[in-house]
Amino acid sequence: MLEGILIGIFGNSIFAIIQGMITAFFGDKDDDLNDRIYESLELATKDFFKQYGEIYRKPHSSFLARESNIRLIVQSVYFGRNIDMLEELDKRGFDNEPDVSQEHLHYFVSSLEKLMREDFILDKLLEEKTHIHESKLANENIKEILEVVTGQSNNTTPEKKSNWQLTDLATGEEIPFREGKKYHQKYSNGVEQIFMIKGDIVSVDFKDEHGRWSYHEIDIKKGSANNNKFPYPVSDYKLVVNELDIINKTVTPLSNGYYQEEMTLKWGRTSKVIYDNKNRIQQFDVSGGWSVNHNSKTISPYNK
């Protein structure tokens, strides 16, 4: 695919950097993916110097000759973090070569992204990364909603409800809070959230990117989650706790082989779980910060 391009503006040096990074990401060599990224980068680079070669006369001394920039560009394809290349690329040149301007950098980044989107495999990777990032934002937004309405943020004293403001994620505009009103927000990757605040109860209905709905009611004063409805039977889930975090644990026998287990953990977390005679969860009540993973079907303390 790359015959005639490998010996390009920077020779084989960039190709070697990309190859090393892909091996680091995936644990083995992926020549096809390596070629696709390299071809997009090489074509975008050639286009850049064709457009601005009279200003940046020495490619080997330009900002694109920096290995850190090449590594950042390759990282932008993968899922680790969301990279803003316009902000994070090092604009400096070498050997008195001029720093790239924001306008010219924008031209390069736009050209590179366009070329990557035209490649089926790279486009699929970038789209999946976008979905993962949007799902993360959706979950973070739910957490922020709960922090605001429960007063469990950096503010020691929660504001009065009359002063609460929420953000419309579609427009970015602030919208007034109204008690008892349902707020419904949707994301392009299929994630949805419906939440309502009434009295001391925050109700959240959430659909993840796999189409699974879960529902929770959070008590503002107690900080506890009640009336939980998971996408799978609660008996399929396991409570996962680090034994070193347990301060107290009490087990109380019930009828028919059922039993109740109560725990107090470090950092103000508590749990009360009822198990059947096969050690399957039948009912639970937790407070102080917990998370649920529907993929592994586990309930565990939330690491703040």
Side-chain angles (χ1 to χ4, degrees):
M1 178 170 63
L2 297 176
E3 186 176 357
I5 296 179
L6 285 178
I7 308 302
I9 293 174
F10 297 106
N12 289 322
S13 58
I14 291 180
F15 188 85
I17 293 171
I18 296 172
Q19 189 174 54
M21 289 196 71
I22 289 177
T23 301
F25 277 121
F26 290 99
D28 56 9
K29 191 175 178 181
D30 190 329
D31 289 333
D32 180 63
L33 186 58
N34 186 74
D35 290 353
R36 290 174 186 276
I37 294 175
Y38 179 84
E39 181 176 30
S40 297
L41 180 56
E42 182 71 7
L43 290 174
T45 301
K46 285 185 174 182
D47 180 47
F48 177 82
F49 286 108
K50 181 180 179 181
Q51 183 74 13
Y52 300 115
E54 293 184 0
I55 300 173
Y56 311 99
R57 297 178 180 274
K58 301 176 181 178
H60 283 84
S61 297
S62 72
F63 79 103
L64 283 168
R66 289 187 177 275
E67 181 174 335
S68 61
N69 282 342
I70 302 304
R71 290 183 176 277
L72 195 70
I73 289 169
V74 177
Q75 285 178 322
S76 72
V77 180
Y78 298 95
F79 307 144
R81 65 186 181 92
N82 198 42
I83 293 174
D84 185 344
M85 287 194 284
L86 288 174
E87 293 296 326
E88 298 187 47
L89 286 174
D90 191 334
K91 302 177 180 65
R92 297 174 298 163
F94 297 98
D95 304 325
N96 298 318
E97 186 71 7
D99 299 350
V100 66
S101 69
Q102 192 68 20
E103 178 187 350
H104 297 167
L105 179 61
H106 186 275
Y107 180 91
F108 169 76
V109 170
S110 297
S111 176
L112 177 62
E113 290 179 346
K114 181 176 182 294
L115 287 163
M116 285 184 170
R117 287 293 188 175
E118 289 174 352
D119 182 285
F120 173 76
I121 299 298
L122 296 183
D123 181 63
K124 187 175 180 181
L125 276 174
L126 292 170
E127 194 63 28
E128 183 64 21
K129 180 176 180 178
T130 299
H131 287 176
I132 289 173
H133 181 63
E134 287 186 347
S135 296
K136 182 180 178 182
L137 288 177
N139 282 284
E140 287 177 349
N141 188 63
I142 288 179
K143 179 175 177 288
E144 288 171 1
I145 290 169
L146 298 183
E147 285 180 346
V148 170
V149 300
T150 60
Q152 295 176 349
S153 61
N154 293 329
N155 299 320
T156 55
T157 304
E159 293 185 7
K160 294 181 179 179
K161 290 181 181 179
S162 59
N163 296 329
W164 289 352
Q165 291 283 325
L166 300 172
T167 301
D168 187 328
L169 297 185
T171 64
E173 297 178 354
E174 295 293 324
I175 53 178
F177 163 75
R178 197 171 79 209
E179 187 166 358
K181 174 180 172 60
K182 290 182 182 178
Y183 295 89
H184 191 177
Q185 295 176 325
K186 297 182 179 181
Y187 296 80
S188 62
N189 62 342
V191 171
E192 293 183 42
Q193 59 190 20
I194 304 170
F195 62 93
M196 180 183 72
I197 304 157
K198 190 172 183 179
D200 294 328
I201 303 298
V202 181
S203 303
V204 181
D205 209 2
F206 178 73
K207 184 178 80 169
D208 65 17
E209 66 273 20
H210 302 291
R212 300 175 301 198
W213 283 96
S214 57
Y215 176 80
H216 309 277
E217 293 179 359
I218 295 88
D219 188 300
I220 294 176
K221 290 185 176 180
K222 296 179 181 179
S224 59
N226 303 302
N227 296 327
N228 302 283
K229 182 173 177 57
F230 295 160
Y232 307 109
V234 69
S235 57
D236 289 351
Y237 290 76
K238 299 292 184 183
L239 193 73
V240 179
V241 175
N242 188 331
E243 291 290 331
L244 296 176
D245 288 337
I246 299 175
I247 298 174
N248 294 306
K249 180 165 71 172
T250 302
V251 178
T252 305
L254 303 173
S255 60
N256 299 322
Y258 282 45
Y259 63 95
Q260 177 177 282
E261 182 183 80
E262 294 183 73
M263 289 191 292
T264 301
L265 307 179
K266 293 177 181 178
W267 319 119
R269 298 182 174 97
T270 65
S271 68
K272 181 186 293 185
V273 184
I274 295 178
Y275 294 92
D276 66 10
N277 55 9
K278 295 183 179 179
N279 301 314
R280 295 174 301 194
I281 294 177
Q282 299 300 303
Q283 184 179 329
F284 75 96
D285 182 12
V286 295
S287 64
W290 294 74
S291 64
V292 179
N293 187 318
H294 298 303
N295 292 325
S296 60
K297 297 181 181 176
T298 55
I299 305 166
S300 57
Y302 172 69
N303 293 319
K304 298 181 181 180

